[in-house]
Amino acid sequence: MDRQYNDLTVRVSLYMVVTFFHGIFHEESGYMIKTDVVIIGGGATGCGIARDLALRGVHHYLVEKGDFANGATGACHGLLHSGARYAVTDPEAARECISENAILRRIARKCVETTGGLFVRLPGDSKRYRDTFLNNCEEAGISTEVLSASRAIDLVPELNPSIEEAVVVPDCSIDPFRLCMLNAFTSRHKGGGILIHHKVIDIVKERGRCTGVKVLDRFTSQIKEIRAKIVINAAGAWGDTLARMGGSDAPMTLSKGSLIISNHRLTNMVINRLRAPSDGDIIVPNEAVCLAGTTSIPVDDPDAIEVDPREVDLVATQAEQMLPRFGTTRLIRAYTGVRPLLKAETSDSRSISRGFRIIDHKNGMFSILGGKLSTYRLMAEKTVDAVVKEFGIKAHCKTADIPLDGQDELSGYPLSKRLKSIDNIVCECELVDRAQVENAINSLGIQYIGDIQHRTRLGMGPCQGGFCTYRALGIMQETGRLTPDESIEILKQFLQRRFRGIRPALWGDQLREEQLVESIYLGILNMGQQA
Amino acid sequence: MSAYEYDAVVIGGGVSGIMASLTLASGGFKTALISRGDPVCCLSTGCIDVFSHSDEPLGGIRALLPDHPYSLVGEKGIVDALCFFLEIMDEAGLPYEGDPGRNRKILTPIGSTKNTCLVPQTMAHADMSPGEYLHVISFQGIKDFFPSYITSRHRNSTYSVYDAGVPTTLGIAARFDDASFLDAFITWLRGLEIPHDRVALPAVLGTIDPASVMEKISQAIGRKIFEIPTLPPSIPGLRLFRAMKRVMQKRGIHLYWGKDVTSVERQGRTVEAVTLATTGRAKRVQGRVFVLATGSFVSGGLFAGRESVRESVFDLPVTVPGERKDWFNTDFFSGGHGIERAGVRVDRAFRPVESMIDNLFACGSILAECEIMSLQCGHGLAIATGVAAAKSCAQELS
Ligand SMILES: Cc1cc2nc3c(=O)[nH]c(=O)nc-3n(C[C@H](O)[C@H](O)[C@H](O)COP(=O)(O)OP(=O)(O)OC[C@H]3O[C@@H](n4cnc5c(N)ncnc54)[C@H](O)[C@@H]3O)c2cc1C
Ligand SMILES: Cc1cc2nc3c(=O)[nH]c(=O)nc-3n(C[C@H](O)[C@H](O)[C@H](O)COP(=O)(O)OP(=O)(O)OC[C@H]3O[C@@H](n4cnc5c(N)ncnc54)[C@H](O)[C@@H]3O)c2cc1C
């Protein structure tokens, strides 16, 4: 066992065969795994906790029911906040953001694109708000620079020419999926166990204390048991469900937010509206596309959410006011995620604090609630502080000082750097070639098409996998990873999911392309008739 | 501005516009065809679906509602139009086979079968009886064609891979136009000593005369051969388009290709001319009658905004199925999406209703209620309505 581990470490099962880079854990048969801490949830928070525990030498397992970033993390806007957005409404969150923003730029270079951000003031937007904004940013330690309209337009030519002025802040664009993967990488590297596609179906309890979890392996349908001294509930919007399984509860307010993606990168900087936070007032560039959002609508069930076409219209109309081309550009997809917010009395979900809270359920379970992607590291730090205190050991947090491992193997931004061989392009939109797909399949043991997409960006571009998914699946069945029938079945599921994503934004050129995709799958391949 | 004068001006060079102009030209009318670009036919399998949703095409058509464009053409009109199409293809040197009253099967790249009606000769042998042995030929590095999809679904089947030196369907097809490449391929194929009844390959048997290429291979190895249409870019679709274009040129139809109609001149209830965007000065094309065949959303004949659907040349009234949320069902595979019924509504003479224009006719996938996707009737409907609209024009002209 790794010498770095202190004597608390309980030996992990001997049956462990191999943990791949991406953490698909292979073992011979169902049995019991023992560890110190089990983390539920492979979003930014859970992965951040895994890394923090690893750097402090505490043995742990992380279980995630889908792929990394399956929840809010993967559905978010990808904005590494400077804190300016919260400067007026939530000064404490603003301070947390700017300090974490600086840390992440340092430790997560390959996940963060230092775009900078603009807050633009349109005719009619309050000048008083702008003054408070500048003042509060200064108090929170967020640097600002006020630009005239013409200088702002020099920076972002697509800006609405009638803006009054703009304020530069250190906002960044962040890749949430990569962030999770790299945090998990450190954990794996130090001997932690990462089980993705493993769903917690029950919490093991002994005399009222949580002593482990039962997980269902979604590949093999096997049930496994992981015993631990402490269970950390980082299940985001599903946190209350898991807390209840453990015999307690974790009250939260769930708020749905929807986003739309344009097929062009219309801006190289993050664009915010300089006014009180409202629907559709942020646009974030992300690789070849832009994300605009969001809405904020209270929901009850995190599994029953859908984008309403009216949300799409709302966000598009707002985004258009800042970048007029948003009104004419093709929208390639709409999607929605659920914010796990702290429970509050107010009914307006936008005014609820974006702060976080750690609950010690006093039964061996800790829940980490609320927060945001930008502060995931701080949330992890505070959670692990509570855990090591419980264990009675002294180990300080190192996550702010050590850069994320595994970044060297990743290509960075921008897109063009990924282009290696033109001949064997599988995905034309995102320039993913056959070698990358084969590599993902062979060396990483990836089974789900979604997993390949996350790791290679296959199918994330304008065609949204309409053309390349068929190709990727064909390659997968040729390599023997899937039978031909399985791969067709996965293709069907993929098309169904993809359609759900683009349906709310179907008009204009996107509708045109959708009809083309339909003609291919339902016409040329006749997949509708066989269903 | 220079002006040109025709009896009939057809806008849109898809299957429907082409069939309309050929019909008009056969009637002795001076005809022009204007098209912005190549039609969706080039992306298609090249096979003519008449009504593939049911096994018996004419039976399916009889059951349609009276406002479906097929019902406006009538059964006899449909059969006559399809026979006219078969004659055209014989003349073009790309003979088609099939019986308008009966559907047949072709093989898809994922090993399923698909109903269609008229097929190029190279797909005539795709209608296999169960239990027959099949050998599939694939090509090194070819995109979008995975023979194991086919062999896994057909019990008695195997496959081999040939290295054509290029990976694209277009590249391979161009190689097959070359006799020495074909000879080398045949030598390789003979060496395989295929014991199977039939040999299938992706549709790459040359760009011009696939029937001869097929015949040569078939004779050399003594097996029946057929092509499997691939995903776009599709060679059989391209062949069909090019063959039709050859006949149009032969018949003296004036082609304005790569030209976009940008404006329309009207005098009362009559369209007098359309203007084309060209790189030099604008061109004015004058006609006594006009045929609108600009296709559906894919070709830009129709354009969907956030709230409504527009017809792009004449801004004709368009039938729209409800609000945007009703345009698409939630199930991708269900078909029958509301948006399939969007389009220009026409009367029995194929005149757009409520257009306030007397010398305008419409045909093809731009028509309302046609439900091409769920009924699987693309080219068939384009042929039938193209010919029918042209016949109305002819009546108007004489
Ligand atoms: C639309 C939207 C936009 C946002 N934009 C931003 C932004 O731009 N910047 C920012 O900083 N923040 C943003 N946020 C907030 C941010 O996304 C979240 O606060 C953050 O990602 C939460 O991470 P998490 O790991 O706590 O939760 P999640 O990412 O939701 O992770 C919880 C994980 O638990 C897993 N899980 C649940 N149940 C089980 C089970 N039974 N067994 C195993 N695993 C289970 C889920 O699959 C999920 O992966 C946004 C949120 C939304 C909804
Ligand atoms: C991918 C795909 C595969 C298909 N496969 C099959 C198949 O295998 N079998 C089958 O039967 N059907 C198939 N279909 C359906 C079939 O192709 C169409 O329904 C049919 O060919 C439509 O013909 P059309 O003449 O109405 O229009 P289109 O083929 O759409 O042609 C319209 C033409 O008008 C031109 N145009 C548009 N606007 C202007 C303008 N303003 N000025 C000048 N020109 C203009 C366009 O450039 C285009 O060339 C397929 C469709 C698709 C999309």
Side-chain angles (χ1 to χ4, degrees):
Chain A
M1 189 54 51
D2 199 316
R3 248 177 274 113
Q4 288 188 28
Y5 285 127
N6 56 52
D7 50 3
L8 270 167
T9 306
V10 180
R11 233 158 231 281
V12 198
S13 156
L14 295 168
Y15 296 94
M16 184 196 296
V17 179
V18 95
T19 36
F20 284 111
F21 176 32
H22 293 109
I24 293 170
F25 190 89
H26 286 249
E27 50 176 281
E28 307 290 6
S29 62
Y31 61 93
M32 213 208 292
I33 299 169
K34 287 188 175 169
T35 180
D36 288 338
V37 176
V38 65
I39 307 153
I40 305 167
T45 312
C47 293
I49 291 171
R51 174 170 195 259
D52 197 323
L53 286 168
L55 290 176
R56 297 198 216 193
V58 180
H59 198 264
H60 59 274
Y61 260 77
L62 180 149
V63 291
E64 162 56 53
K65 66 179 175 181
D67 193 0
F68 294 122
N70 182 54
T73 302
C76 88
H77 215 146
L79 168 58
L80 174 57
H81 282 283
S82 60
R85 173 83 295 176
Y86 304 111
V88 176
T89 51
D90 192 344
E92 179 165 347
R95 264 188 296 276
E96 280 171 9
C97 282
I98 189 63
S99 123
E100 288 301 306
N101 176 298
I103 294 170
L104 291 179
R105 284 167 187 239
R106 214 167 48 232
I107 67 163
R109 267 179 313 113
K110 292 282 178 72
C111 303
V112 175
E113 191 188 1
T114 48
T115 55
L118 289 181
F119 275 74
V120 299
R121 193 162 67 83
L122 292 174
D125 289 348
S126 150
K127 218 169 165 202
R128 274 247 305 281
Y129 184 85
R130 165 232 196 236
D131 295 340
T132 320
F133 173 83
L134 288 174
N135 181 47
N136 286 21
C137 279
E138 191 180 341
E139 276 177 13
I142 302 162
S143 67
T144 54
E145 185 193 349
V146 181
L147 300 182
S148 66
S150 66
R151 281 190 55 210
I153 290 164
D154 282 346
L155 287 177
V156 179
E158 295 288 347
L159 271 181
N160 182 344
S162 61
I163 61 165
E164 303 277 357
E165 61 180 349
V167 182
V168 184
V169 298
D171 282 346
C172 297
S173 167
I174 185 164
D175 181 333
F177 181 77
R178 243 183 200 190
L179 188 69
C180 291
M181 231 175 62
L182 290 173
N183 274 280
F185 180 81
T186 305
S187 153
R188 205 257 352 157
H189 197 60
K190 303 267 184 207
I194 306 268
L195 303 178
I196 58 173
H197 299 298
H198 280 68
K199 180 178 181 174
V200 173
I201 50 168
D202 202 4
I203 306 272
V204 185
K205 286 184 293 272
E206 278 167 38
R207 288 186 300 273
R209 235 190 121 70
C210 302
T211 55
V213 294
K214 277 205 175 98
V215 289
L216 173 71
D217 178 337
R218 292 186 42 199
F219 285 130
T220 62
S221 298
Q222 245 177 34
I223 293 177
K224 300 169 188 171
E225 199 170 310
I226 305 173
R227 289 295 178 93
K229 296 181 175 152
I230 285 184
V231 176
I232 298 180
N233 171 14
W238 296 267
D240 189 45
T241 313
L242 284 143
R244 283 173 193 277
M245 275 186 202
S248 180
D249 67 351
M252 270 183 289
T253 296
L254 302 183
S255 150
K256 170 178 92 153
S258 297
L259 291 149
I260 54 179
I261 309 183
S262 69
N263 74 332
H264 287 300
R265 187 176 161 111
L266 299 171
T267 166
N268 286 322
M269 295 178 87
V270 174
I271 309 292
N272 297 266
R273 181 85 176 263
L274 184 50
R275 64 170 183 201
S278 166
D279 286 333
D281 52 7
I282 307 181
I283 301 169
V284 182
N286 176 294
E287 300 246 333
V289 301
C290 272
L291 317 180
T294 76
T295 51
S296 185
I297 300 167
V299 292
D300 296 324
D301 180 357
D303 288 309
I305 50 164
E306 225 180 77
V307 187
D308 188 312
R310 278 170 303 199
E311 287 180 89
V312 173
D313 293 352
L314 181 74
V315 173
T317 311
Q318 289 299 318
E320 196 178 352
Q321 296 188 23
M322 299 188 286
L323 297 180
R325 270 237 283 164
F326 237 101
T328 51
T329 189
R330 195 163 112 207
L331 299 182
I332 57 180
R333 195 159 74 91
Y335 64 95
T336 190
V338 180
R339 298 182 189 89
L341 301 178
L342 296 178
K343 187 94 182 168
E345 296 309 309
T346 162
S347 62
D348 173 11
S349 48
R350 208 174 277 286
S351 66
I352 299 173
S353 163
R354 297 296 200 261
F356 62 89
R357 186 192 307 152
I358 295 155
I359 303 180
D360 178 355
H361 296 286
K362 305 282 182 205
N363 63 355
M365 182 189 272
F366 287 81
S367 290
I368 164 80
L369 306 180
K372 57 185 98 38
L373 179 73
S374 304
T375 55
Y376 88 95
R377 194 211 58 84
L378 181 66
M379 292 158 68
E381 172 177 344
K382 298 294 179 208
T383 311
V384 177
D385 282 351
V387 170
V388 293
K389 194 166 153 221
E390 177 92 358
F391 282 149
I393 52 171
K394 282 210 171 60
H396 294 293
C397 177
K398 300 177 194 158
T399 54
D401 306 319
I402 307 173
L404 299 181
D405 298 312
Q407 295 191 81
D408 299 341
E409 285 131 73
L410 292 173
S411 63
Y413 294 96
L415 181 70
S416 56
K417 291 203 185 124
R418 275 202 305 276
L419 179 58
K420 285 193 215 108
S421 107
I422 300 232
D423 285 350
N424 271 310
I425 295 294
V426 174
C427 170
E428 271 100 2
C429 310
E430 290 281 337
L431 301 174
V432 179
D433 66 17
R434 183 169 175 133
Q436 284 169 285
V437 174
E438 280 182 354
N439 176 50
I441 298 164
N442 292 329
S443 64
L444 312 176
I446 291 166
Q447 305 272 347
Y448 287 128
I449 189 73
D451 293 12
I452 297 189
Q453 289 172 329
H454 294 150
R455 284 160 185 82
T456 61
R457 288 191 66 82
L458 175 97
M460 309 288 258
C463 90
Q464 289 290 298
F467 301 104
C468 54
T469 308
Y470 167 71
R471 229 174 254 168
L473 282 163
I475 296 173
M476 277 170 94
Q477 57 92 24
E478 273 189 346
T479 62
R481 283 272 166 189
L482 294 171
T483 67
D485 281 352
E486 282 167 343
S487 91
I488 296 292
E489 195 45 47
I490 294 175
L491 179 60
K492 280 189 187 158
Q493 290 166 12
F494 166 78
L495 289 168
Q496 198 69 274
R497 260 204 328 272
R498 171 185 181 279
F499 186 62
R500 238 176 279 140
I502 60 183
R503 198 176 89 95
L506 277 180
W507 71 80
D509 286 341
Q510 190 63 7
L511 185 142
R512 181 172 175 251
E513 179 145 320
E514 179 52 29
Q515 299 237 303
L516 194 59
V517 168
E518 235 181 77
S519 302
I520 290 174
Y521 291 102
L522 304 184
I524 298 176
L525 297 179
N526 201 23
M527 286 176 70
Q529 304 292 318
Q530 341 165 270
Chain B
M1 197 186 291
S2 43
Y4 301 83
E5 219 174 292
Y6 301 92
D7 293 324
V9 176
V10 180
I11 308 166
V15 173
S16 66
I18 293 176
M19 290 307 289
S21 50
L22 287 169
T23 307
L24 284 158
S26 330
F29 299 106
K30 191 178 169 200
T31 308
L33 184 138
I34 304 164
S35 192
R36 173 194 290 160
D38 291 352
V40 290
C41 164
C42 301
L43 308 172
S44 77
T45 63
C47 299
I48 310 299
D49 292 343
V50 173
F51 191 105
S52 298
H53 187 63
S54 76
D55 284 335
E56 213 262 293
L58 296 176
I61 287 169
R62 262 174 241 135
L64 290 171
L65 294 174
D67 57 356
H68 191 278
Y70 265 148
S71 308
L72 301 178
V73 181
E75 191 165 316
K76 179 165 183 308
I78 296 169
V79 174
D80 287 352
L82 292 169
C83 291
F84 180 50
F85 169 80
L86 287 172
E87 282 166 31
I88 299 281
M89 296 319 287
D90 282 340
E91 185 182 333
L94 185 71
Y96 267 60
E97 287 192 13
D99 168 359
R102 193 181 73 83
N103 271 333
R104 53 199 301 142
K105 303 240 183 269
I106 55 169
L107 198 57
T108 75
I110 56 170
S112 56
T113 57
K114 172 177 150 55
N115 272 341
T116 189
C117 189
L118 310 180
V119 298
Q121 275 185 345
T122 50
M123 292 181 207
H125 295 308
D127 215 340
M128 297 187 19
S129 29
E132 262 186 302
Y133 282 79
L134 176 70
H135 190 80
V136 182
I137 304 291
S138 182
F139 294 86
Q140 196 68 49
I142 188 172
K143 271 184 199 174
D144 301 334
F145 188 80
F146 304 98
S148 40
Y149 277 140
I150 300 165
T151 52
S152 73
R153 290 209 186 179
H154 290 257
R155 222 173 344 120
N156 304 319
S157 62
T158 46
Y159 74 86
S160 335
V161 180
Y162 185 70
D163 188 353
V166 282
T168 59
T169 47
L170 270 165
I172 303 170
R175 291 255 157 134
F176 271 100
D177 289 340
D178 168 12
S180 58
F181 176 87
L182 180 57
D183 288 341
F185 176 74
I186 288 175
T187 311
W188 172 80
L189 201 56
R190 272 196 165 132
L192 294 180
E193 292 179 7
I194 296 164
H196 302 69
D197 305 312
R198 300 194 195 208
V199 174
L201 21 64
V204 293
L205 293 180
T207 58
I208 303 158
D209 186 8
S212 309
V213 175
M214 177 180 85
E215 197 46 42
K216 236 176 136 178
I217 302 174
S218 177
Q219 296 228 320
I221 62 168
R223 305 269 173 251
K224 283 180 180 161
I225 292 180
F226 65 90
E227 289 187 312
I228 300 165
T230 59
L231 264 50
S234 150
I235 308 301
L238 216 62
R239 287 179 197 138
L240 169 61
F241 167 62
R242 289 183 181 162
M244 294 177 102
K245 208 169 161 187
R246 281 198 298 274
V247 181
M248 285 198 291
Q249 276 156 342
K250 221 167 99 188
R251 301 268 173 107
I253 294 166
H254 198 127
L255 301 185
Y256 295 93
W257 214 267
K259 309 283 190 297
D260 210 336
V261 170
T262 48
S263 66
V264 175
E265 259 174 59
R266 277 175 67 171
Q267 185 73 49
R269 294 179 63 99
T270 309
V271 177
E272 304 221 301
V274 292
T275 312
L276 311 187
T278 55
T279 38
R281 54 205 177 132
K283 265 201 183 89
R284 183 167 173 273
V285 180
Q286 230 171 292
R288 290 165 60 205
V289 297
F290 289 80
V291 180
L292 180 68
T294 45
S296 173
F297 299 100
V298 175
S299 290
L302 298 176
F303 183 84
R306 255 186 240 172
E307 315 288 342
S308 64
V309 177
R310 274 189 24 238
E311 184 281 307
S312 18
V313 178
F314 297 92
D315 207 7
L316 297 172
V318 174
T319 302
V320 187
E323 293 173 50
R324 198 172 92 232
K325 66 175 176 37
D326 308 319
W327 290 358
F328 288 90
N329 303 334
T330 48
D331 182 0
F332 179 73
F333 295 100
S334 67
H337 299 301
I339 197 74
E340 284 189 44
R341 299 189 1 249
V344 172
R345 196 175 288 278
V346 290
D347 63 16
R348 299 215 144 257
F350 288 84
R351 278 193 182 88
V353 298
E354 291 159 28
S355 67
M356 317 296 267
I357 306 176
D358 295 328
N359 64 336
L360 178 65
F361 301 81
C363 59
S365 53
I366 196 174
L367 299 180
E369 307 297 341
C370 57
E371 297 191 276
I372 288 173
M373 208 54 244
S374 24
L375 305 181
Q376 299 272 304
C377 63
H379 295 333
L381 185 121
I383 293 171
T385 57
V387 172
K391 285 187 174 154
S392 288
C393 287
Q395 254 173 25
E396 170 90 10
L397 286 167
S398 42

